[in-house]
Amino acid sequence: MSGERHAETVDLGMWAFLATEMLFFGSLVATYTLYRASYPAVFRAGAHEMEFGLGTINTAVLLISSVCMALADRAVRAGRSRLGLGLLAATWVLGLGFLGIKGFEYYSKGVDHLIPGRHFRPGADPRLQMFFSLYFAMTGLHALHMVLGLGAVSWLILRVRRGTLGATNAEPLAAVGLYWHFVDCVWVLLYPLFYLPGR
């Protein structure tokens, strides 16, 4: 298989995978939209329980990580592997930082008794659990995708360091970059759903 045909196959495979992911996340967004339309006051109350500042910081962190990933792709394709390696490392660190902030948010929800279940905040509207059920399901799924993305970026870093990924065979970098940008776009969608209603 020629290099050009191989690159097209990798791109097509990644786009097909992302299309299935879009459908999956799309069904969750549709569920959120349905419940939010049914209980707008409850969802506004849920949004006011969110750490707006942390959500905004995490949005900025992921957008910067996407820029680093795109620049890493460009650097490696231009034969500047050392720069590409640094940018991939920055992408990885930013992704890990995102997960750290998200973990702190999850911890604070536990402290505030906002994790759905038997020990949910006493006296709160029971329907508020639906907001937080969707929050944990959708952001948890996104966090899982972030973990997979970090694994993929780690693999790229190893390949660039070993010299097995460079200007002439950068298809894996493009594929992982596409995945990373998709995960970032999902967060850009989730951010206004959970952090902005009622503000």
Side-chain angles (χ1 to χ4, degrees), residues 21-37 43 134-135 137-139 141-142 182 185-194:
E21 294 295 288
M22 288 177 199
L23 290 173
F24 187 64
F25 275 106
S27 65
L28 289 172
V29 171
T31 301
Y32 171 94
T33 303
L34 177 64
Y35 278 101
R36 181 178 170 185
F43 273 58
L134 288 168
Y135 165 74
M138 295 169 77
T139 62
L141 185 62
H142 176 265
F182 166 75
C185 286
V186 169
W187 177 256
V188 169
L189 174 64
L190 296 181
Y191 170 69
L193 293 182
F194 291 106

Side-chain angles (χ1 to χ4, degrees), residues 113-133:
H113 301 285
L114 291 172
I115 297 177
R118 200 170 53 163
H119 301 291
F120 194 75
R121 180 182 290 171
D125 188 328
R127 295 171 299 181
L128 190 61
Q129 292 198 56
M130 179 54 66
F131 175 88
F132 283 102
S133 294

Side-chain angles (χ1 to χ4, degrees), residues 63-88:
L63 291 175
I64 294 169
S65 78
S66 263
V67 172
C68 289
M69 177 62 82
L71 292 175
D73 186 9
R74 178 176 292 187
V76 171
R77 288 177 186 277
R80 303 176 67 188
S81 294
R82 187 173 207 143
L83 175 60
L85 190 61
L87 289 164
L88 285 172

Side-chain angles (χ1 to χ4, degrees), residues 83-108:
L83 175 60
L85 190 61
L87 289 164
L88 285 172
T91 301
W92 192 91
V93 169
L94 288 165
L96 188 64
F98 173 91
L99 289 176
I101 293 172
K102 182 52 60 186
F104 176 78
E105 282 192 83
Y106 285 173
Y107 170 77
S108 70

